[in-house]
């Protein structure tokens, strides 16, 4: 699996960095992958698609300003990326006709980074969703969004990879594309040549082949969409930790601990780790080190996150923990992040 050394959520916020690998890797990829030059899609018929589709696209504003992009796909319903509206509450929509309307989150699916909002505003236009066709590498795409301070602007590109999983922090099975997206484009529709929405933009990153964008495909998501419309809220499972770190040899020497495993940082009150009795570095005393999740060794935050996210909210996992010279096991019931 290829790595990305910078993955950025498409929010217009300085703190939106999702993951940064410490060792940058070459910008150009291995033979057989679609190169950056070939991946740039000419507008072709997509300029016509933009003209027809852009009235359905809108900007989503929160209390602090612009949060991202969304689009009408049914009367009164807006589809966007979950991380755009994860803070909850009411949001203001700036429609293509420059009118404003209030919207509230109906349902969401955090593992897919999708959310549905409801509004009383009348949709200037509606976009059709493509949930039955598998994309092909090389096919041209159009994205409409609010990146670079531009209002519902077009971006053209091509599919460069299917089933991409660039980071355990992101949804798995994304589509990678050459769309030149920027913060503010999150939640925007990705359309094919027929003007149908094939995905929702969620992230950008630097890969071995250069800059790439990532979107959640809508293929086979009919049931997920129906559940979100009905108010279902699906969360990632969490242990409820802040600042867990790999216990490197250097950090182990500093703390006087054996190396290996993941050092528990702050245990968030009310979370799974708190209920399981784990102790963090910030609590003082000897911090716990997580060695395994259900028998699988973990030696980095990414390892820990990847193993936890193999499960669902409500599942129970067995953690092998080292506390000083003692190694023991505890069970933790996975839950949404505390406070959500």
């Amino acid at each position: 699996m290829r790595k990305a050394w910078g993955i950025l959520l498409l929010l217009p916020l300085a703190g939106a960095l999702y993951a940064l690998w410490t060792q940058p890797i070459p910008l150009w990829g291995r033979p057989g992958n679609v190169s950056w030059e070939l991946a740039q899609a000419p507008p072709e018929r997509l300029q016509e698609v933009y003209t027809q589709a852009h009235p359905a696209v809108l900007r989503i504003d929160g209390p602090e300003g612009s949060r991202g992009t969304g689009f009408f796909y049914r009367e009164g319903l807006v589809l966007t990326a979950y991380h755009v509206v994860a803070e909850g509450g009411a949001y203001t929509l700036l429609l293509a006709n420059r009118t404003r309307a209030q919207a509230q989150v109906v349902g969401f699916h955090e593992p897919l980074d999708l959310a549905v909002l409801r509004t009383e505003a009348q949709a200037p236009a509606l976009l059709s969703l493509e949930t039955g066709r598998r994309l092909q590498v090389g096919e041209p795409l159009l994205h409409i969004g609010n990146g670079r301070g531009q209002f519902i602007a077009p971006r053209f590109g091509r599919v460069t990879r299917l089933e991409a999983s660039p980071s355990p922090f992101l949804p798995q099975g994304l589509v990678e594309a050459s769309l030149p997206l920027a913060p503010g484009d999150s939640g925007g529709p990705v359309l094919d040549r027929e003007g149908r929405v094939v995905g929702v933009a969620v992230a950008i990153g630097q890969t071995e082949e250069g800059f790439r964008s990532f979107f959640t495909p809508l293929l086979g998501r009919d049931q997920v969409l129906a559940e979100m419309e009905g108010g279902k809220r699906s969360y990632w499972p969490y242990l409820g930790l802040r600042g867990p770190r790999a216990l490197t040899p250097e950090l182990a020497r500093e703390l006087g601990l054996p190396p290996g495993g993941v050092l528990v940082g702050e245990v968030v009150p009310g979370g799974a780790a708190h209920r399981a009795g784990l102790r963090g570095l910030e609590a003082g005393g000897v911090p716990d080190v997580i060695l395994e999740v259900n028998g699988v060794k973990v030696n980095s935050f990414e390892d820990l996150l990847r193993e936890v996210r193999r499960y669902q909210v409500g599942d129970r996992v067995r953690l092998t923990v080292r506390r000083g010279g003692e190694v023991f096991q505890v069970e933790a019931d996975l839950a949404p992040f505390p406070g959500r």
Side-chain angles (χ1 to χ4, degrees):
M1 181 183 74
R2 299 179 313 156
K3 292 182 179 179
W5 64 265
I7 294 293
L8 182 69
L9 282 177
L10 294 171
L11 281 172
L13 300 173
L17 191 66
Y18 235 25
L20 181 64
W21 279 262
T22 56
Q23 293 296 324
I25 53 180
L27 296 182
W28 301 103
R30 294 181 284 271
N33 290 321
V34 179
S35 73
W36 175 249
E37 292 85 351
L38 292 177
Q40 297 310 293
E44 301 175 355
R45 140 166 173 78
L46 290 180
Q47 185 61 54
E48 299 176 22
V49 171
Y50 170 71
T51 301
Q52 297 168 359
H54 83 273
V57 185
L58 50 88
R59 193 180 77 198
I60 300 175
D61 293 345
E64 77 289 353
S66 176
R67 291 285 302 175
T69 303
F71 59 94
F72 285 103
Y73 71 102
R74 286 179 54 187
E75 193 62 54
L77 295 181
V78 170
L79 188 60
T80 187
Y82 168 70
H83 71 263
V84 171
V85 295
E87 295 178 359
Y91 288 91
T92 301
L93 310 180
L94 179 61
L95 277 57
N97 57 13
R98 296 290 179 170
T99 61
R100 294 183 180 272
Q102 295 298 303
Q104 291 187 322
V105 176
V106 177
F108 54 77
H109 197 292
E110 187 179 14
L112 293 176
D113 205 355
L114 295 175
V116 171
L117 283 67
R118 188 181 303 280
T119 179
E120 298 297 322
Q122 183 175 358
L126 299 176
L127 296 182
S128 299
L129 306 183
E130 178 56 79
T131 61
R133 183 179 72 84
R134 183 175 176 83
L135 293 169
Q136 301 296 317
V137 172
E139 74 171 89
L141 300 170
L142 162 70
H143 175 272
I144 307 174
N146 298 292
R148 300 184 180 87
Q150 298 174 320
F151 183 55
I152 55 175
R155 300 284 183 260
F156 303 101
R158 290 186 184 273
V159 175
T160 54
R161 184 177 296 267
L162 304 176
E163 297 296 331
S165 299
S167 165
F169 292 87
L170 295 173
Q172 305 300 286
L174 298 173
V175 175
E176 179 192 277
S178 64
L179 294 160
L181 305 187
D185 283 326
S186 264
V190 180
L191 300 101
D192 64 11
R193 284 171 292 192
E194 304 305 315
R196 298 176 66 84
V197 180
V198 296
V200 175
V202 297
I204 55 179
Q206 195 74 14
T207 75
E208 292 172 338
E209 284 74 34
F211 177 88
R212 291 292 185 264
S213 298
F214 300 90
F215 63 88
T216 295
L218 296 184
L219 176 65
R221 307 300 190 198
D222 300 271
Q223 183 175 347
V224 170
L225 290 165
E227 290 173 347
M228 290 192 296
E229 292 167 8
K232 185 173 181 179
R233 302 186 170 200
S234 302
Y235 294 89
W236 277 121
Y238 289 90
L239 284 174
L241 302 175
R242 289 194 181 100
R245 290 181 284 169
L247 192 57
T248 62
E250 295 78 14
L251 182 58
R253 283 195 299 270
E254 179 183 334
L255 297 174
L257 298 172
V262 179
L263 180 71
V264 175
E266 178 186 354
V267 177
V268 181
H274 179 255
R275 295 195 303 272
L278 293 189
R279 302 175 185 173
L281 181 64
E282 297 186 9
V286 179
D288 289 338
V289 177
I290 300 174
L291 303 176
E292 297 178 354
V293 177
N294 280 349
V296 179
K297 292 182 179 180
V298 293
N299 285 298
S300 69
F301 181 29
E302 288 80 7
D303 289 346
L304 179 62
L305 190 66
R306 185 178 296 108
E307 290 309 313
V308 168
R309 288 188 171 180
R310 295 184 189 277
Y311 303 95
Q312 298 180 5
V313 169
D315 287 347
R316 177 172 293 180
V317 296
R318 185 180 68 258
L319 305 177
T320 302
V321 178
R322 184 173 63 233
R323 180 179 294 166
E326 179 186 6
V327 176
F328 58 94
Q329 293 183 336
V330 297
E331 292 187 336
D333 296 320
L334 300 177
F337 197 82
R340 290 188 181 173

